[in-house]
Amino acid sequence: KQEVTQIPAALSVPEGENLVLNCSFTDSAIYNLQWFRQDPGKGLTSLLLIQSSQREQTSGRLNASLDKSSGRSTLYIAASQPGDSATYLCAVRNGGSQGNLIFGKGTKLSVKP
Amino acid sequence: SQTIHQWPATLVQPVGSPLSLECTVEGTSNPNLYWYRQAAGRGLQLLFYSVGIGQISSEVPQNLSASRPQDRQFILSSKKLLLSDSGFYLCAWSEAGHTQAFFGQGTRLTVV
């Protein structure tokens, strides 16, 4: 059974700092991995999608990497801003394109001005 | 562009009352549709998914049911709510054959 773990559960950093959020999964036979952002009381916003054949994806100040064999992904945020404060969720998709997303519990990020 | 609408945003219902949450997607055809629940301190749990009209798969036994009466409409229902049904319910969609998932804004359900 696939399990997704995100460490740390919470993180507080000063503005401008570069930071890394971690995601690990127990079954390396994933179809893809997706990072989401969730603001309090809101839905999920998709940030980056990495297919199983890819090593990384970049969007602006965000860079996500995937090491499928070791069951790990990282989300790197450069030059963090207070507006980056949110909960970041990692999800893996098993079983092909129709497979379901299995989520971690998230990392709650707080960027202090 | 595609959009997903989910309503209501918040709902307070008494125990034993019925429930109907609606989700619609615009700008795409034959999407895969999903209902998730997010409970405090826990990850998102997949409740139901649908790959087509009238096709519903349930991931966990529960007091809830889902229906897909139209291609881009997904409804989450209950005949009698329990206190344990409280939570944050999220609808999501992805294109058939594509794998990026997009989520609605969620419904905060409180059963009292």
Side-chain angles (χ1 to χ4, degrees), chain A residues 31-32 34 36 38 41-49 51 87 89 93 96-105, chain B residues 32 34 36 38 41-44 46 49 51 59 88 90 94 96-106 108:
Chain A
Y31 191 75
N32 62 31
Q34 199 166 351
F36 295 88
Q38 185 177 29
K42 302 295 184 182
L44 277 64
T45 299
S46 179
L47 297 175
L48 290 164
L49 171 71
Q51 301 293 353
T87 296
L89 294 159
R93 188 184 292 272
S97 63
Q98 302 293 353
N100 299 319
L101 284 173
I102 310 296
F103 281 84
K105 294 183 180 180
Chain B
N32 294 337
Y34 308 85
Y36 285 84
Q38 187 176 35
R42 304 172 70 177
L44 274 80
L46 178 64
Y49 69 95
V51 299
E59 287 296 298
F88 192 53
L90 289 155
S94 63
H98 297 271
T99 59
Q100 188 165 11
F102 301 93
F103 282 74
Q105 287 300 298
R108 172 72 59 192

Side-chain angles (χ1 to χ4, degrees), chain A:
Chain A
K1 178 184 174 184
Q2 179 73 271
E3 292 183 1
V4 180
T5 303
Q6 290 186 247
I7 295 173
L11 181 64
S12 181
V13 300
E15 181 178 4
E17 191 163 299
N18 302 326
L19 59 100
V20 175
L21 308 181
N22 297 292
C23 172
S24 62
F25 44 95
T26 55
D27 185 349
S28 62
I30 65 170
Y31 191 75
N32 62 31
L33 183 145
Q34 199 166 351
W35 281 94
F36 295 88
R37 168 187 173 137
Q38 185 177 29
D39 292 291
K42 302 295 184 182
L44 277 64
T45 299
S46 179
L47 297 175
L48 290 164
L49 171 71
I50 310 178
Q51 301 293 353
S52 61
S53 59
Q54 296 175 324
R55 298 283 298 190
E56 66 176 351
Q57 284 286 331
T58 298
S59 176
R61 295 182 294 108
L62 305 179
N63 176 277
S65 69
L66 174 64
D67 184 343
K68 200 172 80 163
S69 61
S70 67
R72 297 185 181 192
S73 175
T74 61
L75 179 66
Y76 175 82
I77 302 177
S80 59
Q81 303 170 358
D84 294 330
S85 299
T87 296
Y88 290 81
L89 294 159
C90 166
V92 300
R93 188 184 292 272
N94 286 358
S97 63
Q98 302 293 353
N100 299 319
L101 284 173
I102 310 296
F103 281 84
K105 294 183 180 180
T107 294
K108 186 175 182 180
L109 173 65
S110 177
V111 181
K112 304 294 186 183

